[in-house]
Amino acid sequence: GIELYQSAKEVMLLAFEHGLAITKAGEDRVLRILPPLVSQKEHIDEAVTKLSKVLDIVANKKIERNV
């Protein structure tokens, strides 16, 4: 999983909107990625790009709230 510094719920919901299957695991700050059993490199690259975009969006929202 991926441990976050904040709640995983917002990331999980936004990732779903971007077509990623992600859920929370263990603590509320851990993301569990649910890839298909059979994947091609292109699919992995696309998922990593989408997840990176989602994390940037959530991080920017957090920064705007603190300003």
Side-chain angles (χ1 to χ4, degrees), residues 8-24 31-34 47 50-51 53-55 57-58:
K9 183 178 180 180
E10 186 175 5
V11 175
M12 181 186 71
L13 295 174
L14 190 57
F16 182 76
E17 290 178 15
H18 282 82
L20 297 174
I22 294 178
T23 188
K24 298 184 298 184
L31 288 178
R32 181 175 171 216
I33 301 171
L34 306 168
K50 287 180 179 183
L51 181 58
K53 184 182 294 186
V54 165
L55 292 171
I57 291 169
V58 172

Side-chain angles (χ1 to χ4, degrees), residues 3-61:
E3 187 173 2
L4 304 174
Y5 291 106
Q6 63 186 52
S7 171
K9 183 178 180 180
E10 186 175 5
V11 175
M12 181 186 71
L13 295 174
L14 190 57
F16 182 76
E17 290 178 15
H18 282 82
L20 297 174
I22 294 178
T23 188
K24 298 184 298 184
E27 297 181 24
D28 184 45
R29 298 179 334 178
V30 177
L31 288 178
R32 181 175 171 216
I33 301 171
L34 306 168
L37 293 176
V38 178
S39 299
Q40 295 181 354
K41 183 182 181 316
E42 297 82 28
H43 298 136
I44 302 295
D45 292 342
E46 181 181 351
V48 169
T49 299
K50 287 180 179 183
L51 181 58
S52 178
K53 184 182 294 186
V54 165
L55 292 171
D56 285 342
I57 291 169
V58 172
N60 287 332
K61 284 182 182 179

